[in-house]
Amino acid sequence: MPPSSPARDSFRWIILALITFSHVIGAAAQYGINTLAPFYQDELGLSRAQVGLFFSAFYLAMTGASFGAGWLADRWGVRNTTLQGHFFVGICIIAAAAAPSFAWAFASFFLAGLGYSFFNPASTIGVMAWFHRDERATAMGTKQTGVPGGGVLAAVLAPSLVLIIGWRGALAALGVMNLLFVFVFSSLWRDAPQGLADSSDSEAAATAGPSARIYWALLPVSVATAIYLVGQMVLITYVPLYLKDTMGFSPYWSSQALALTQGGAMIGRVGWGVVSDRLFGGRRKVVLLLIGSLSALLVTALSFLGRDSSYYLLLLILFLAGVCLVGYQGVSYALIGEIAGKARAGAGLGMMITINAACATLGTPLFGYIVDRTGSYPVGWRVVAATLAVGVFGLATLIREPRRTG
């Protein structure tokens, strides 16, 4: 056993469950945007590109705020940062539920994105503090299951609530959940003991280096994974509309089918973390290359399906796309944290999210524009697959992992 083993605190699993559930609650509000799109699109008179702009508004806010949110998280700590995030998301999602127009909804989702920008840096700092390297990608992946878990919750709960209280009431309910969770998180969170530092980590060298050098080291992985995020956001934003417009699903079942993709993502985020920690001995790059290659193949396969295609084949592809394209982030977050070091994990992740979100802000509505102009989802899916191939090439050629010691 490594020397750090005696310092492991079993309470870390309680902490992991808490921050995972924090992501579930926050992401349920986030994914309410696209899950409820088939219900509000006609009422608000929106084009597909405008629907994509709602998600882009959310990510535009993250683009501007994530680095600052990470910097603040390094200084405020996990509890205060997370509470701020849930409060702002809750208030702004409730405001979006009252939207009479595109502009109102766009502004509300933008402000909700500002609040959401606090979650990932805060939770990543929590994992870096409580977990050692040989568990870290698994822990990162586990807490990131909260994001697709929130998507599953939104996909299952929101359409059912629509039948009772309408889409506005359903969206408002997702906001109220965030406000209530403020009290839960505040009462249960506890900071890691000071003696928990992992003596076998190679992070000390990275942390001791100049900030500018570390941020330059983070730039290639941030840009490459940004392309992965574009594919992810396109998938989860447009799958409900794709199923309704091209595959003949009803609005209700097109939203429900998204739960399958999100369920695959939950499995992927834990599974890829285990693969990285155990099967590849803590190596992150090779796992990200494998995920990207499989994602490109799955999206390409999706482009060849039509209304006469096998229903089960369609659902299998959507599930596996969730495992890969929505399931990669735990591994990428672990890599970012290890390059940046514990002292700068929040700012490092904030930098990556800023770059990722900037690309997603442009890429998500661009997919909708391509589909609007061509009238063809297959063309859009093939563009996404080609873009993912570029991301895989960038990861393969530009990224160096930090060396392991001990």
Side-chain angles (χ1 to χ4, degrees), residues 215-360:
Y215 294 141
W216 275 111
L218 292 171
L219 187 59
V221 68
S222 298
V223 173
T225 56
I227 294 176
Y228 284 28
L229 184 64
V230 170
Q232 178 187 128
M233 292 299 99
V234 166
L235 186 73
I236 62 181
T237 299
Y238 287 101
V239 157
L241 295 178
Y242 162 70
L243 295 176
K244 179 172 74 79
D245 297 342
T246 302
M247 307 303 287
F249 283 48
S250 69
Y252 177 82
W253 286 111
S254 64
S255 294
Q256 290 288 301
L258 187 60
L260 187 66
T261 299
Q262 299 287 14
M266 294 178 68
I267 293 173
R269 293 191 179 197
V270 176
W272 290 120
V274 173
V275 167
S276 178
D277 282 340
R278 305 301 180 188
L279 187 59
F280 288 96
R283 294 165 62 199
R284 317 303 185 198
K285 176 179 174 178
V286 64
V287 177
L288 289 172
L289 292 174
L290 177 61
I291 293 171
S293 300
L294 291 173
S295 297
L297 290 174
L298 289 164
V299 173
T300 300
L302 193 62
S303 73
F304 287 101
L305 299 183
R307 289 202 180 203
D308 57 346
S309 299
S310 167
Y311 175 77
Y312 297 104
L313 178 60
L314 169 64
L315 294 183
L316 177 62
I317 291 174
L318 291 177
F319 173 77
L320 293 177
V323 171
C324 295
L325 193 51
V326 195
Y328 76 91
Q329 284 176 309
V331 179
S332 68
Y333 285 9
L335 178 59
I336 287 290
E338 288 161 4
I339 293 173
K342 291 181 181 178
R344 298 190 181 102
L349 189 69
M351 174 182 168
M352 184 189 79
I353 293 173
T354 296
I355 294 172
N356 282 196
C359 292

Side-chain angles (χ1 to χ4, degrees), residues 343-374:
R344 298 190 181 102
L349 189 69
M351 174 182 168
M352 184 189 79
I353 293 173
T354 296
I355 294 172
N356 282 196
C359 292
T361 298
L362 297 173
T364 305
L366 180 60
F367 177 88
Y369 176 78
I370 291 171
V371 174
D372 282 339
R373 294 288 293 178
T374 64

